[in-house]
């Protein structure tokens, strides 16, 4: 069911109905209602290009401080209205540009694995930027393991430019 779970996560990034759209995850996604360009975890910057949505709700992660979040519509500051963890915008038109900017905090957390088993205890330290794990120490150098979370490229503070072709599915599949 892993592929189905990945599909539902992708589908849930943006949802829309009529002239309303909801951005649930700050990840890149093209949709019939709007396109999302996310620069996370490098930069606290998300740009949304409106297609058909007139009303927009964007879920803001709990680690973003509301006082440090700056929103603009077409380059002009816009306060938006908070509804729970969603920042909402009204009266949008096709081709409007909604931009969100905020600091991305970096943190470290240590976890002890197998603390109750002598000679097997290991302490791992995770480096996290926003919601993204960018490194786990110590690195496992064994040739029989896959090197997880060795993401030196994510240490950068500027997102690398990428040219991509956008694709919007004609319809989505709902299994519920």
């Amino acid at each position: 069911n892993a592929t189905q779970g990945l599909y539902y996560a992708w589908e849930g990034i943006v949802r829309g109905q009529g002239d309303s759209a909801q951005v649930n995850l700050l990840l890149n996604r093209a949709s019939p209602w709007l396109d999302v360009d996310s620069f996370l975890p490098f930069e606290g910057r998300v740009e949304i290009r409106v297609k058909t949505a007139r009303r927009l709700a964007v879920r803001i992660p709990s680690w973003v401080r509301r006082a440090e979040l700056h929103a603009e519509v077409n380059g002009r500051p816009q306060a938006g209205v908070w509804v729970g963890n969603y920042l909402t915008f009204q009266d949008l038109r096709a081709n409007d540009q909604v931009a969100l900017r905020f600091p991305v905090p970096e943190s470290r957390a240590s976890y002890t694995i197998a603390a109750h088993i002598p000679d097997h205890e290991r302490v791992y330290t995770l480096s996290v930027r926003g919601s993204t794990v960018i490194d786990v120490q110590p690195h496992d150098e064994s040739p029989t393991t896959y090197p997880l979370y060795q993401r030196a490229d994510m240490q950068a503070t500027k997102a690398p430019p990428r040219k991509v072709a956008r694709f919007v599915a004609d319809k989505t599949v709902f299994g519920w």
Side-chain angles (χ1 to χ4, degrees):
N1 293 339
T3 53
Q4 186 176 6
L6 288 172
Y7 170 79
Y8 286 131
W10 168 84
E11 184 273 329
I13 293 170
V14 174
R15 289 198 172 140
Q17 186 172 16
D19 64 353
S20 296
Q22 183 174 327
V23 176
N24 297 302
L25 295 170
L26 300 182
L27 298 173
N28 296 318
R29 169 90 148 75
S31 78
W33 309 280
L34 51 84
D35 290 344
V36 179
D37 292 325
S38 175
F39 295 79
L40 290 169
F42 304 98
E43 304 171 50
R45 183 171 129 206
V46 176
E47 296 176 355
I48 300 168
R49 285 184 307 283
V50 175
K51 294 177 179 175
T52 62
R54 301 295 167 255
R55 291 184 297 277
L56 170 63
V58 182
R59 189 183 71 78
I60 306 299
S62 61
W63 51 261
V64 174
R65 293 183 178 181
R66 289 184 180 190
E68 296 177 335
L69 173 67
H70 301 284
E72 295 178 350
V73 176
N74 298 325
R76 289 185 292 277
Q78 181 82 9
V81 175
W82 286 96
V83 179
N85 288 334
Y86 286 84
L87 184 58
T88 65
F89 302 90
Q90 303 286 330
D91 302 320
L92 297 171
R93 293 182 302 248
N95 299 316
D96 277 355
Q97 304 280 330
V98 178
L100 304 174
R101 288 180 175 60
F102 45 86
V104 181
E106 294 188 28
S107 61
R108 292 186 185 274
S110 292
Y111 297 93
T112 302
I113 307 299
H116 62 286
I117 304 172
D119 299 327
H120 287 82
E121 177 179 303
R122 289 193 77 174
V123 177
Y124 291 95
T125 302
L126 283 65
S127 298
V128 181
R129 181 177 284 165
S131 300
T132 304
V133 175
I134 58 174
D135 191 34
V136 176
Q137 292 285 341
H139 292 157
D140 187 345
E141 303 297 336
S142 170
T144 60
T145 61
Y146 186 80
L148 296 175
Y149 297 107
Q150 294 181 20
R151 300 170 162 176
D153 58 319
M154 289 190 177
Q155 303 286 339
T157 57
K158 188 90 171 134
R162 283 194 185 160
K163 199 164 190 82
V164 297
R166 293 282 186 169
F167 172 77
V168 178
D170 292 334
K171 59 182 177 178
T172 56
V173 179
F174 294 97
W176 54 81

